[in-house]
């Protein structure tokens, strides 16, 4: 497991499954932002068993800039597994995961880090806050399912969290190293389990408004929404049965 006594200030984890069409631009934008920051950093792309050119693209960039790293395993395991793998194989004092399509721009981390430096253990992006700007909306059916699903999620797992599913969340190393080894969900519902465990362990969570751009090529389907709702119940039962370590 990664140690929190690291010289790296910020680790950026990007889970990627067949993302070669958008990942190159995301890495380019991320590197341009990060090189201007006054802290040390690393970007870890976790290849979740891609069958396209995703790993080769990352390797090519890594040869130019070794602060960009490729983490791999042979078979597709799901976004949750990829994020967990990245969180536990990086060494930053703070650890951010973000989506490969850059739907939430990396420069948002500038408003997250002061909160982590102060008294927050976890800071998450929220599209549901009034101050958030949704540049390109999802289809109406997805927005409706998202709103209904959030009511279910709040009732059963994470009361008080307005948006559990935005793919931009930052953690203090101590919180990441406590939460992620205990996750049981490998796919879309992992965000709910992360936040439910954060509440279970009494970590302080802050939601922040964002600018968000929907990616029309997203891999999130109607079935994925149903899987999240099923996973919410799994998390609730795990908590009821004390299946998460103290």
């Amino acid at each position: 497991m990664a140690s929190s006594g690291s010289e790296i200030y910020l680790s950026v984890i990007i889970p990627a499954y067949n993302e070669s069409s958008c990942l190159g631009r995301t890495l380019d934008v991320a590197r341009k932002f990060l090189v201007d920051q006054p802290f040390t950093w690393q970007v870890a792309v976790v290849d979740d068993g891609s069958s396209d050119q995703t790993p080769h693209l990352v390797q090519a960039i890594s040869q130019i800039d070794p602060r960009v790293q490729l983490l791999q395993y042979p078979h597709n395991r799901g976004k949750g597994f990829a994020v967990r793998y990245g969180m536990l194989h990086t060494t930053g004092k703070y650890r951010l995961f973000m989506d490969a399509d850059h739907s939430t721009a990396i420069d948002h981390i500038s408003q997250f880090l002061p909160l982590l430096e102060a008294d927050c253990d976890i800071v998450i992006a929220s599209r549901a806050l009034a101050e958030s700007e949704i540049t390109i909306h999802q289809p109406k059916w997805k927005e409706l399912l998202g709103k209904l699903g959030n009511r279910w999620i709040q009732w059963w797992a994470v009361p008080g969290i307005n948006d559990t599913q935005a793919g931009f969340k930052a953690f203090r190393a101590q919180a990441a190293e406590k939460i992620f080894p205990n996750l049981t969900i490998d796919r879309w519902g992992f965000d709910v389990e992360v936040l439910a465990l954060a509440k279970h362990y009494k970590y302080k969570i802050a939601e922040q408004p964002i600018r968000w751009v929907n990616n029309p090529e997203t891999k999130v389907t109607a079935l994925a929404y149903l899987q999240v709702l099923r996973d919410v119940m799994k998390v609730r039962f795990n908590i009821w049965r004390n299946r998460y370590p103290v």
Side-chain angles (χ1 to χ4, degrees):
M1 183 183 296
S3 169
S4 57
S6 166
E7 294 181 357
I8 300 293
Y9 180 82
L10 177 66
S11 295
V12 180
I13 294 112
I14 304 177
Y17 176 63
N18 292 341
E19 299 287 3
S20 59
S21 63
C22 63
L23 184 58
R25 178 183 176 279
T26 295
L27 289 175
D28 183 51
V29 173
R31 288 173 59 229
K32 285 180 179 178
F33 171 79
L34 290 167
V35 295
D36 289 334
Q37 305 309 307
F39 51 72
T40 55
W41 54 272
Q42 64 181 155
V43 175
V45 178
V46 184
D47 174 37
D48 187 28
S50 297
S51 57
D52 68 353
Q53 293 300 305
T54 292
H56 304 291
L57 185 155
V58 179
Q59 287 171 333
I61 295 174
S62 182
Q63 289 179 353
I64 300 169
D65 188 345
R67 290 172 295 187
V68 177
Q69 304 167 12
L70 174 67
L71 299 178
Q72 280 185 294
Y73 41 83
H75 305 294
N76 177 259
R77 302 289 298 272
K79 182 181 178 181
F81 185 92
V83 171
R84 179 162 78 248
Y85 193 89
M87 284 284 172
L88 299 177
H89 288 82
T90 53
T91 58
K93 179 180 180 181
Y94 302 114
R95 301 178 196 177
L96 164 74
F97 78 80
M98 60 178 288
D99 288 336
D101 63 7
H102 205 241
S103 55
T104 303
I106 192 172
D107 61 8
H108 286 84
I109 194 63
S110 296
Q111 73 194 54
F112 283 34
L113 289 172
L115 297 174
L116 293 169
E117 288 279 14
D119 62 347
C120 292
D121 301 294
I122 302 165
V123 184
I124 67 172
S126 178
R127 297 161 294 185
L129 299 179
E131 304 90 337
S132 293
E133 177 186 350
I134 310 302
T135 305
I136 298 177
H137 283 263
Q138 294 176 303
K140 291 293 185 182
W141 68 267
K142 281 192 174 183
E143 291 191 343
L144 178 60
L145 283 179
K147 290 176 181 178
L148 294 174
N150 183 255
R151 293 181 183 180
W152 177 268
I153 290 167
Q154 287 208 48
W155 176 262
W156 288 108
V158 284
I161 300 295
N162 296 291
D163 183 2
T164 60
Q165 302 307 114
F168 197 94
K169 296 179 174 70
F171 302 76
R172 288 178 174 175
Q174 181 183 18
E177 293 172 5
K178 175 67 174 179
I179 293 169
F180 282 89
N182 296 321
L183 297 184
T184 64
I185 296 171
D186 287 345
R187 298 193 180 271
W188 300 112
F190 87 97
D191 294 89
V192 175
E193 190 173 32
V194 165
L195 296 173
L197 270 179
K199 283 183 168 290
H200 182 64
Y201 294 138
K202 310 300 183 185
Y203 287 122
K204 183 173 180 179
I205 306 168
E207 288 187 85
Q208 285 291 289
I210 55 169
R211 303 178 310 278
W212 188 76
V213 180
N214 178 55
N215 176 11
E217 297 181 2
T218 179
K219 296 179 175 68
V220 182
T221 64
L223 178 60
Y225 283 87
L226 296 176
Q227 290 173 338
V228 170
L229 299 183
R230 176 202 63 193
D231 288 341
V232 168
M233 297 310 301
K234 178 180 178 182
V235 171
R236 173 45 54 194
F237 287 135
N238 285 344
I239 291 173
W240 279 341
R241 296 168 183 169
N242 296 314
R243 289 186 175 178
Y244 294 116
V246 177

